Amino acid sequence: MRNQLVRFQPALARARRIWRSPARTRATLLAFAETEEDGAKDLVAATRRIADPFLRGHVERHAADERRHATILRQRAAELALDVGEGGGAGADSRRDLEGSARRGAAASHGFYSAGLYDELGEVAYVAMLHVAERRAAKLFELHHRAAETDPATAAVFAEIVTDEKYHVAYTQKILERWRAAGRGHEVDEALSRARSSRFVGAWKRLGLRSAGGLGRVLLYVAYFTVLAPFGLVARRQRFGGGWRDPKPHTPASQS
Amino acid sequence: MSARETRRGAVLGLCAFQRGAGAALVVDGRVVAAAEESWFSRRPDEDGFPRRAAQACLRAAGVNGADLERVVLAEKPLAQFERLLATQLAAFPKSAKSFAGTMFTWLGDRLWIKSRIADEFGLPAERIEFAPRLLCHVASAAVQCGLGAVESASVLVLDDAGEWGTAALATVRNGRAELLQEVPFPHSLGLVGAALEQFLGRTPGAELGWFEGLAAGGSDRFRDTFEALVPEESDGSFRVDTGPFRFHFDGERLFAPGLEALFGPARRPGEPLARAGDGHDERARRDADLAAGFLNLTARRAKSMARVLHTKAQAGPLLLAGCVAQTRRLVDLLGERGPFADVRVGAAPGPEGLALGAAALGSGSLPSAPHTVGATGQGSIGLFSGDTEVFRADADEGTALEALLRGAPLAWLESGLELGPESLGRRLVVGRVDGAHAARAVLAPLLRDGAGECARLLVPSEVAERWCQLGPAAAASAVARGAPRAHPELVALAPSVVGADGRVHVQTVHRDRQPNLHRFLHRVGERTGAPLLLAATLRARGSAAALSAQDVDEALERAGIAHRLVHGPPPKPSPQVEFAANAERD
């Protein structure tokens, strides 16, 4: 329990930092909305392939929930944007800024869906993946619900989402248990294990790429101050003058 | 060896790994299709490899990737790499961090683009060519402005940075584009604008057109400061005092503390801007004055450059190209002050048009006039078959007109997608012009959606001069966009769209080019006495183009727009084609 608390507090502190900044708040709300909407699209695609009417009914409701989440998250982001000005140019500006910062500094929500996963994974693995992703999302939104306590309107949005996410966890759990009871326990356990490890593998790969990128940059940084330093010291004297100059003749096959 | 023969005359233009990534296809000297990668990725600032845009263009024409006569990239990669290396070393040691980032990207990806293109399209390397960015802008402007095969024109390019050139004087004669002279990096009006965008808390390089909205209530009190920052040279060109900037060696942080010493503290990234004159503080006025100062500076520099161009080229109309040409009032200011009486700008003067320019250059002689396939092209450049949507219609024109006259905003949708940052007639929100709050009524649904822009006036081209001082050349062109002075009758009727300087953003609607919108405007005129509408581009997730009917449904639902009017027959299905030798990767 203590270990959990130790892990949880930095996450809560990070989340609180998001909700203290109006720009990051709106950016994060929009990023969440986009993820929810993408999730809804994948769920809708899955409902066209699911044969079991019981499961299809739940997934249809799940898709509707995700779409609604996208709407209320966007509404909240727009309310925050409207608070700061109605000028057309300014509106366009804030939208583009938000999109930029949504990629830079915002937290992701589920981050688990990609198009057509049902076809790719198959029925059991798909529901197992949903279960793992929704469990994680429920925890994440609960965290943000707590972190946004100083902004009751935003906290209310998260409270609504958390309630739905708990339902999503519950119905996927129920389906998985039904399959277990029908003698497919081994298949279910394997699918759950793969869903959890795929997250782990994904995280590991991302870490690996970051490490490789980081190492490459460090090497270039070192080269800059060693191999290139003499050239740099000479190049510093160069002045780039203005005025007209003749363009280089254009040779189509040449890259320079 | 493949038994297939090369499709003679099929040239694909590409713009890759930079803002405006996209593709355009010219077949037998005619523009067949053009698409932006952001339409597919739904990222407004898409800067990846334009794979899906290229696929869509090839599908529209039924051309296989491996059968292309050639692919032309709108960039000289080695020249750009050389420029980056030289300018970053010249800033030693301040450029250490940006050097590592830039070289990592270039050494890892961009330098090997020739083999990437060959791999993607299954083409031999000798069929891949490269065209300088500024020349692509020139060719793109000529095609977009519908320059005839025998018509000549002078072209002024005002861009940010590509290879070494940032601005250029050019001509188009007998279907050939030629650069006459250029201004070298780092002397760039576009980069000064991008640095100011960042200074004001925005993503740099998004669209310089937004300065106009901010500048509406601004004054020219920073004129002397801007003159010192970007002085005019004795030969009519300009240079930039790079002291308060970092863009010449850093692609992330574009301005230095010196700029804050000149203009006061910078806005934080993402910090909302307010318009001056709405009871806001001194900083809001400062922001508006900065925007106005920059716009006036670009107008002065462009005017001087146009004079030089006129003496050197003495050819036909003046075409404007490059990211700075996105500012609407530049067209009118240059037209009013001469020396060119006829000044034109295309729908996509910025980086979105680069792929089109590359394809046009690759086809040998510039395509004679815009041409599109599909039933609804009508001379626009873009994508008008296959990958575009079929919208759900839910109102006839009479019902929609009644709703609009009652004051409700109306979504105007036509099949097909147009190249450029603004929709000129296929994804619009339109509303009435009269009343003090008309612009707000049109923009409010878009603002609720988190997006928005300045509202513009739609007017039939044949009566445009009744409402504003549109020059005769602009009034006669297929689509004219600009910010001319409004006549008193318009100021009285539609005060909400006339700026403090008496100018109004206008788009003319031509009977032949946009018959549906033209007819609707006249129906509005029959009822109200003025055939005018206010319009703004409908955006889905920040992009002017929405590929699927579902995206449009969602955008309208979020914006709370209840009425929509749909025109145009469904696009023709595209033939199945093989995109590349390695198409199975999809």
Short mmCIF file of all heavy atoms in Angstrom, two decimals, chain A residues 176-207:
data_model
loop_
_atom_site.label_atom_id
_atom_site.label_comp_id
_atom_site.label_asym_id
_atom_site.label_seq_id
_atom_site.Cartn_x
_atom_site.Cartn_y
_atom_site.Cartn_z
N LEU A 176 -15.51 -11.84 -20.03
CA LEU A 176 -14.34 -12.73 -19.92
C LEU A 176 -14.64 -13.89 -18.98
O LEU A 176 -14.25 -15.04 -19.23
CB LEU A 176 -13.13 -11.93 -19.41
CG LEU A 176 -12.56 -10.90 -20.40
CD1 LEU A 176 -11.51 -10.01 -19.73
CD2 LEU A 176 -11.97 -11.56 -21.63
N GLU A 177 -15.38 -13.60 -17.90
CA GLU A 177 -15.73 -14.68 -16.97
C GLU A 177 -16.69 -15.68 -17.61
O GLU A 177 -16.61 -16.89 -17.37
CB GLU A 177 -16.33 -14.08 -15.70
CG GLU A 177 -15.23 -13.63 -14.73
CD GLU A 177 -15.77 -12.75 -13.61
OE1 GLU A 177 -17.00 -12.64 -13.48
OE2 GLU A 177 -14.93 -12.15 -12.92
N ARG A 178 -17.58 -15.18 -18.43
CA ARG A 178 -18.49 -16.09 -19.14
C ARG A 178 -17.70 -17.03 -20.04
O ARG A 178 -17.98 -18.22 -20.13
CB ARG A 178 -19.47 -15.28 -20.01
CG ARG A 178 -20.70 -14.85 -19.25
CD ARG A 178 -21.64 -14.06 -20.09
NE ARG A 178 -21.95 -14.70 -21.38
CZ ARG A 178 -22.86 -14.26 -22.23
NH1 ARG A 178 -23.56 -13.20 -21.94
NH2 ARG A 178 -23.08 -14.88 -23.35
N TRP A 179 -16.70 -16.50 -20.72
CA TRP A 179 -15.89 -17.35 -21.60
C TRP A 179 -15.08 -18.35 -20.78
O TRP A 179 -14.89 -19.50 -21.18
CB TRP A 179 -14.95 -16.48 -22.45
CG TRP A 179 -15.68 -15.81 -23.60
CD1 TRP A 179 -16.81 -16.26 -24.22
CD2 TRP A 179 -15.33 -14.59 -24.24
NE1 TRP A 179 -17.18 -15.39 -25.21
CE2 TRP A 179 -16.29 -14.34 -25.25
CE3 TRP A 179 -14.30 -13.66 -24.06
CZ2 TRP A 179 -16.25 -13.23 -26.07
CZ3 TRP A 179 -14.27 -12.56 -24.89
CH2 TRP A 179 -15.23 -12.35 -25.88
N ARG A 180 -14.61 -17.90 -19.62
CA ARG A 180 -13.88 -18.81 -18.73
C ARG A 180 -14.78 -19.97 -18.32
O ARG A 180 -14.38 -21.13 -18.37
CB ARG A 180 -13.43 -18.06 -17.47
CG ARG A 180 -12.02 -17.61 -17.53
CD ARG A 180 -11.43 -17.39 -16.13
NE ARG A 180 -10.24 -16.58 -16.29
CZ ARG A 180 -10.19 -15.28 -16.15
NH1 ARG A 180 -11.28 -14.61 -15.83
NH2 ARG A 180 -9.07 -14.62 -16.33
N ALA A 181 -16.03 -19.60 -17.93
CA ALA A 181 -16.98 -20.62 -17.49
C ALA A 181 -17.33 -21.59 -18.63
O ALA A 181 -17.71 -22.74 -18.39
CB ALA A 181 -18.26 -19.95 -16.98
N ALA A 182 -17.19 -21.07 -19.85
CA ALA A 182 -17.50 -21.94 -21.00
C ALA A 182 -16.29 -22.76 -21.43
O ALA A 182 -16.27 -23.35 -22.51
CB ALA A 182 -17.99 -21.08 -22.16
N GLY A 183 -15.26 -22.81 -20.59
CA GLY A 183 -14.10 -23.66 -20.87
C GLY A 183 -13.02 -22.99 -21.70
O GLY A 183 -12.15 -23.67 -22.23
N ARG A 184 -13.08 -21.67 -21.81
CA ARG A 184 -12.08 -20.98 -22.62
C ARG A 184 -11.11 -20.20 -21.72
O ARG A 184 -10.52 -19.19 -22.11
CB ARG A 184 -12.75 -20.01 -23.60
CG ARG A 184 -13.66 -20.73 -24.58
CD ARG A 184 -14.48 -19.77 -25.41
NE ARG A 184 -13.71 -19.08 -26.43
CZ ARG A 184 -14.21 -18.17 -27.26
NH1 ARG A 184 -15.50 -17.85 -27.17
NH2 ARG A 184 -13.47 -17.60 -28.17
N GLY A 185 -10.95 -20.72 -20.47
CA GLY A 185 -10.13 -20.02 -19.48
C GLY A 185 -8.71 -19.79 -19.94
O GLY A 185 -8.14 -18.70 -19.77
N HIS A 186 -8.13 -20.84 -20.56
CA HIS A 186 -6.74 -20.73 -20.98
C HIS A 186 -6.58 -19.61 -22.03
O HIS A 186 -5.66 -18.79 -21.96
CB HIS A 186 -6.29 -22.08 -21.56
CG HIS A 186 -4.88 -22.05 -22.05
ND1 HIS A 186 -3.79 -21.91 -21.22
CD2 HIS A 186 -4.37 -22.09 -23.32
CE1 HIS A 186 -2.69 -21.90 -21.92
NE2 HIS A 186 -3.00 -22.00 -23.21
N GLU A 187 -7.57 -19.58 -22.97
CA GLU A 187 -7.55 -18.58 -24.04
C GLU A 187 -7.66 -17.16 -23.45
O GLU A 187 -6.96 -16.23 -23.86
CB GLU A 187 -8.73 -18.86 -24.98
CG GLU A 187 -8.61 -18.26 -26.36
CD GLU A 187 -9.87 -18.55 -27.19
OE1 GLU A 187 -10.65 -19.45 -26.83
OE2 GLU A 187 -10.07 -17.84 -28.16
N VAL A 188 -8.58 -17.05 -22.45
CA VAL A 188 -8.80 -15.74 -21.82
C VAL A 188 -7.53 -15.29 -21.08
O VAL A 188 -7.09 -14.14 -21.22
CB VAL A 188 -10.00 -15.81 -20.85
CG1 VAL A 188 -10.05 -14.57 -19.96
CG2 VAL A 188 -11.30 -15.95 -21.62
N ASP A 189 -6.95 -16.21 -20.29
CA ASP A 189 -5.77 -15.83 -19.52
C ASP A 189 -4.62 -15.41 -20.43
O ASP A 189 -3.91 -14.45 -20.17
CB ASP A 189 -5.33 -17.01 -18.63
CG ASP A 189 -6.33 -17.24 -17.51
OD1 ASP A 189 -7.11 -16.31 -17.23
OD2 ASP A 189 -6.35 -18.35 -16.95
N GLU A 190 -4.49 -16.18 -21.51
CA GLU A 190 -3.41 -15.87 -22.45
C GLU A 190 -3.63 -14.49 -23.08
O GLU A 190 -2.71 -13.69 -23.23
CB GLU A 190 -3.35 -16.94 -23.53
CG GLU A 190 -2.03 -16.97 -24.27
CD GLU A 190 -2.00 -18.07 -25.32
OE1 GLU A 190 -2.90 -18.94 -25.31
OE2 GLU A 190 -1.10 -18.05 -26.15
N ALA A 191 -4.90 -14.22 -23.44
CA ALA A 191 -5.23 -12.93 -24.07
C ALA A 191 -4.97 -11.78 -23.10
O ALA A 191 -4.43 -10.74 -23.48
CB ALA A 191 -6.68 -12.92 -24.53
N LEU A 192 -5.37 -11.99 -21.82
CA LEU A 192 -5.13 -10.93 -20.82
C LEU A 192 -3.64 -10.70 -20.63
O LEU A 192 -3.18 -9.56 -20.54
CB LEU A 192 -5.77 -11.32 -19.49
CG LEU A 192 -7.27 -11.06 -19.37
CD1 LEU A 192 -7.82 -11.69 -18.09
CD2 LEU A 192 -7.57 -9.57 -19.38
N SER A 193 -2.93 -11.81 -20.58
CA SER A 193 -1.49 -11.70 -20.38
C SER A 193 -0.85 -10.95 -21.56
O SER A 193 0.00 -10.08 -21.37
CB SER A 193 -0.92 -13.10 -20.25
OG SER A 193 0.46 -13.07 -20.37
N ARG A 194 -1.31 -11.29 -22.78
CA ARG A 194 -0.75 -10.62 -23.96
C ARG A 194 -1.10 -9.14 -23.96
O ARG A 194 -0.29 -8.29 -24.33
CB ARG A 194 -1.28 -11.28 -25.24
CG ARG A 194 -0.45 -12.47 -25.69
CD ARG A 194 -0.42 -12.57 -27.21
NE ARG A 194 -1.75 -12.55 -27.80
CZ ARG A 194 -2.46 -13.64 -28.08
NH1 ARG A 194 -1.96 -14.83 -27.82
NH2 ARG A 194 -3.66 -13.56 -28.60
N ALA A 195 -2.35 -8.84 -23.55
CA ALA A 195 -2.78 -7.43 -23.53
C ALA A 195 -1.90 -6.62 -22.57
O ALA A 195 -1.49 -5.51 -22.87
CB ALA A 195 -4.24 -7.33 -23.12
N ARG A 196 -1.64 -7.25 -21.40
CA ARG A 196 -0.81 -6.52 -20.41
C ARG A 196 0.63 -6.40 -20.92
O ARG A 196 1.24 -5.35 -20.82
CB ARG A 196 -0.84 -7.26 -19.07
CG ARG A 196 -2.20 -7.17 -18.40
CD ARG A 196 -2.18 -7.78 -17.00
NE ARG A 196 -3.52 -7.84 -16.48
CZ ARG A 196 -4.19 -8.96 -16.22
NH1 ARG A 196 -3.62 -10.14 -16.42
NH2 ARG A 196 -5.42 -8.92 -15.75
N SER A 197 1.14 -7.51 -21.48
CA SER A 197 2.54 -7.47 -21.91
C SER A 197 2.71 -6.59 -23.14
O SER A 197 3.75 -5.99 -23.34
CB SER A 197 3.07 -8.87 -22.18
OG SER A 197 2.37 -9.42 -23.27
N SER A 198 1.66 -6.50 -23.99
CA SER A 198 1.81 -5.66 -25.18
C SER A 198 1.96 -4.19 -24.76
O SER A 198 2.68 -3.44 -25.38
CB SER A 198 0.62 -5.82 -26.14
OG SER A 198 -0.54 -5.28 -25.57
N ARG A 199 1.29 -3.86 -23.67
CA ARG A 199 1.49 -2.51 -23.14
C ARG A 199 2.92 -2.36 -22.66
O ARG A 199 3.59 -1.37 -22.89
CB ARG A 199 0.55 -2.24 -21.97
CG ARG A 199 -0.84 -1.84 -22.41
CD ARG A 199 -1.71 -1.57 -21.22
NE ARG A 199 -1.06 -0.66 -20.30
CZ ARG A 199 -1.21 -0.71 -18.97
NH1 ARG A 199 -1.98 -1.62 -18.43
NH2 ARG A 199 -0.61 0.15 -18.20
N PHE A 200 3.38 -3.45 -21.98
CA PHE A 200 4.73 -3.41 -21.46
C PHE A 200 5.74 -3.33 -22.61
O PHE A 200 6.64 -2.51 -22.61
CB PHE A 200 4.97 -4.67 -20.61
CG PHE A 200 6.40 -4.80 -20.18
CD1 PHE A 200 6.89 -4.04 -19.14
CD2 PHE A 200 7.26 -5.68 -20.82
CE1 PHE A 200 8.21 -4.14 -18.75
CE2 PHE A 200 8.58 -5.78 -20.43
CZ PHE A 200 9.06 -5.02 -19.39
N VAL A 201 5.49 -4.19 -23.63
CA VAL A 201 6.41 -4.21 -24.76
C VAL A 201 6.39 -2.85 -25.48
O VAL A 201 7.42 -2.30 -25.85
CB VAL A 201 6.04 -5.36 -25.74
CG1 VAL A 201 6.81 -5.22 -27.04
CG2 VAL A 201 6.34 -6.69 -25.09
N GLY A 202 5.17 -2.31 -25.63
CA GLY A 202 5.05 -1.00 -26.28
C GLY A 202 5.86 0.04 -25.53
O GLY A 202 6.62 0.81 -26.13
N ALA A 203 5.69 0.04 -24.21
CA ALA A 203 6.42 1.01 -23.39
C ALA A 203 7.93 0.79 -23.53
O ALA A 203 8.70 1.75 -23.64
CB ALA A 203 6.00 0.89 -21.94
N TRP A 204 8.32 -0.50 -23.55
CA TRP A 204 9.73 -0.81 -23.67
C TRP A 204 10.30 -0.32 -25.00
O TRP A 204 11.37 0.25 -25.08
CB TRP A 204 9.90 -2.33 -23.55
CG TRP A 204 11.33 -2.76 -23.64
CD1 TRP A 204 12.28 -2.76 -22.66
CD2 TRP A 204 11.99 -3.23 -24.82
NE1 TRP A 204 13.47 -3.20 -23.13
CE2 TRP A 204 13.33 -3.51 -24.45
CE3 TRP A 204 11.59 -3.47 -26.12
CZ2 TRP A 204 14.25 -4.00 -25.37
CZ3 TRP A 204 12.51 -3.96 -27.03
CH2 TRP A 204 13.82 -4.22 -26.64
N LYS A 205 9.50 -0.54 -26.08
CA LYS A 205 9.95 -0.11 -27.40
C LYS A 205 10.11 1.41 -27.46
O LYS A 205 11.07 1.93 -28.00
CB LYS A 205 8.95 -0.54 -28.48
CG LYS A 205 9.14 -1.96 -28.94
CD LYS A 205 8.13 -2.25 -30.03
CE LYS A 205 8.26 -3.69 -30.49
NZ LYS A 205 7.10 -4.09 -31.30
N ARG A 206 9.10 2.09 -26.87
CA ARG A 206 9.18 3.55 -26.88
C ARG A 206 10.42 4.03 -26.14
O ARG A 206 11.12 4.93 -26.58
CB ARG A 206 7.91 4.15 -26.25
CG ARG A 206 6.70 4.09 -27.17
CD ARG A 206 5.58 4.97 -26.63
NE ARG A 206 5.07 4.48 -25.36
CZ ARG A 206 4.16 3.51 -25.24
NH1 ARG A 206 3.68 2.93 -26.32
NH2 ARG A 206 3.73 3.12 -24.06
N LEU A 207 10.70 3.33 -25.02
CA LEU A 207 11.88 3.68 -24.23
C LEU A 207 13.14 3.44 -25.06
O LEU A 207 14.06 4.25 -25.08
CB LEU A 207 11.91 2.85 -22.94
CG LEU A 207 13.06 3.17 -21.98
CD1 LEU A 207 12.87 4.55 -21.41
CD2 LEU A 207 13.12 2.14 -20.87
#
